[in-house]
Amino acid sequence: MTDSSELENTEPASGNLPGLSQLLEAFQKQRPLRGGSLIITVFGDSISQHGGSVWLGSLIEALEPFGLNQRLVRTSVYRLIQEGWLDSTQVGRRSYYRFTEFGLRQYQKAARRIYAQSRQDWDGKWTLVMPAYVVDDAREQMRKELTWAGFGQLTAGVMARPGAERQSLDETLQELEIHDKVVVMTASTEDLLSQSALKQLSANCWDLDQLEARYLEFLDKFRPLQAAIPKTGPLDPKSCFQLRSLLVHEYRRILLKDSDLPQELLPNDWAGNAAQLLTANIYKRVHRYAKQYLCQMMETADGPLPEASASYYKRFGELSE
């Protein structure tokens, strides 16, 4: 791994990244300003990879440039505790926060998609879920959770997702306590002539037009930043942390609506492919400086945040040390 002292003794090319201030201002103007969602991003993208726990004072300082004042951070953290995402430990007069097991599982499900190197090759199979014995009150929550896992409403009473991977689905059904109330099946399209109809059906079920519009907006927002980042030389650690957090936060929000449809079922020149590549490229360029900021500025009960875990370096295929 990179020796942090090597980075400390190198002057950054600039005190900020060109265009970052405009991104921060745009984020601050969002109404409502959802502090809890950004805090989940920071815990998942950063803190979970550096020991998992952080002092609230460090978190407040790091989030202030995003427009989250002390009161909003404290309120958001309290709500996340009530919702089961975070847990706290008191050491003296200081409070330290970390993901609960539930919160970590939820983010890990998203992380498998956020930090993927590319879309998975499709074997032509589908996973179908039919809520045969799920009562009405639980069906809407099931629909929401499965949508976040990439499922779409194929027909009335049938949710579908391309591919036969079951880990995220099984975790979700267990968490909702409905694993014994649904029917899960694997299907495949036998007739190649039906691929055209299946492509149109997918576009309708997953509302690809609206999703592509969000990807195009994301590209318009972050492409100027990618072009402005110097290709060589050191960068400002604090600015890199802010850019990386905004990048992952905005990308994660879109992925919660994305289906991860295989390339065969997507429109030509699908904007999601460009968004995935853009995210990976920016992340790889700024991550080591963002990591430096985290290790220097945020605190645990034992001192500075520890170095990143081995799993961190597997993001987007591989991150340089």
Side-chain angles (χ1 to χ4, degrees):
M1 296 183 187
T2 303
D3 185 349
S4 61
S5 62
E6 174 189 335
L7 296 178
E8 291 173 21
N9 296 327
T10 309
E11 288 298 321
S14 65
N16 208 335
L17 297 173
L20 176 59
S21 58
Q22 288 87 338
L23 276 185
L24 287 168
E25 289 173 9
F27 183 86
Q28 294 167 10
K29 291 177 181 177
Q30 293 180 24
R31 293 297 180 270
L33 186 58
R34 301 187 185 279
S37 182
L38 179 63
I39 290 171
I40 288 174
T41 296
V42 171
F43 266 90
D45 182 58
S46 298
I47 297 168
S48 70
Q49 303 303 301
H50 291 269
S53 176
V54 69
W55 172 45
L56 181 60
S58 298
L59 188 64
I60 290 172
E61 181 178 352
L63 295 179
E64 188 274 334
F66 297 88
L68 276 65
N69 59 31
Q70 181 175 155
R71 180 179 178 183
L72 181 54
V73 173
R74 290 182 182 276
T75 300
S76 299
V77 165
Y78 175 78
R79 287 175 178 166
L80 290 172
I81 290 176
Q82 299 302 304
E83 294 169 1
W85 281 86
L86 297 181
D87 197 4
S88 66
T89 302
Q90 195 77 20
V91 179
R93 299 180 63 182
R94 288 187 167 188
S95 297
Y96 298 85
Y97 292 84
R98 66 186 311 121
F99 269 144
T100 60
E101 289 186 11
F102 164 79
L104 185 59
R105 284 198 310 270
Q106 290 293 98
Y107 194 85
Q108 285 174 338
K109 284 190 285 187
R112 294 179 197 126
R113 304 171 69 196
I114 296 171
Y115 309 111
Q117 185 174 11
S118 61
R119 289 183 182 266
Q120 296 293 320
D121 291 336
W122 188 40
D123 58 5
K125 297 189 181 301
W126 290 80
T127 300
L128 308 180
V129 179
M130 290 165 278
Y133 302 104
V134 180
V135 297
D136 291 343
D137 291 345
R139 285 199 177 205
E140 178 57 25
Q141 184 62 26
M142 185 205 75
R143 186 200 63 78
K144 183 186 297 185
E145 294 284 345
L146 291 187
T147 297
W148 290 344
F151 282 80
Q153 192 78 44
L154 193 62
T155 61
V158 180
M159 297 196 73
R161 186 184 190 280
E165 189 274 327
R166 288 284 301 271
Q167 183 177 355
S168 295
L169 172 61
D170 290 341
E171 289 173 353
T172 299
L173 297 178
Q174 289 285 347
E175 288 166 4
L176 296 176
E177 299 181 349
I178 58 172
H179 55 281
D180 58 346
K181 298 179 175 62
V182 302
V183 176
V184 180
M185 302 178 68
T186 300
S188 60
T189 306
E190 301 295 341
D191 187 354
L192 292 178
L193 294 177
S194 67
Q195 289 291 338
S196 177
L198 185 58
K199 191 171 183 177
Q200 182 59 47
L201 179 63
S202 299
N204 294 334
C205 289
W206 280 276
D207 198 357
L208 295 185
D209 288 342
Q210 183 181 36
L211 189 60
E212 180 154 49
R214 293 190 64 181
Y215 275 128
L216 290 172
E217 183 181 353
F218 174 85
L219 290 168
D220 288 343
K221 187 179 295 185
F222 286 97
R223 268 178 174 158
L225 268 296
Q226 182 186 31
I229 298 173
K231 291 182 172 55
T232 60
L235 301 172
D236 176 52
K238 184 176 181 179
S239 299
C240 287
F241 163 74
Q242 293 167 356
L243 174 56
R244 194 181 84 172
S245 297
L246 284 175
L247 177 77
V248 173
H249 182 66
E250 298 293 339
Y251 189 53
R252 179 176 74 90
R253 291 178 63 213
I254 301 175
L255 283 183
L256 289 176
K257 301 292 185 181
D258 196 348
S259 60
D260 275 349
L261 286 173
Q263 201 63 48
E264 295 90 332
L265 300 178
L266 291 170
N268 296 330
D269 299 322
W270 174 241
N273 295 335
Q276 184 179 47
L277 181 61
L278 176 76
T279 301
N281 287 341
I282 294 178
Y283 201 99
K284 289 178 178 180
R285 178 66 181 103
V286 304
H287 87 92
R288 62 196 292 253
Y289 300 100
K291 184 164 62 72
Q292 178 193 347
Y293 172 82
L294 288 161
C295 292
Q296 288 182 343
M297 302 303 297
M298 291 198 176
E299 298 181 40
T300 71
D302 299 318
L305 260 62
E307 260 291 348
S309 62
S311 62
Y312 168 80
Y313 291 96
K314 297 178 181 178
R315 290 177 168 180
F316 299 110
E318 183 180 6
L319 297 176
S320 62
E321 298 186 3

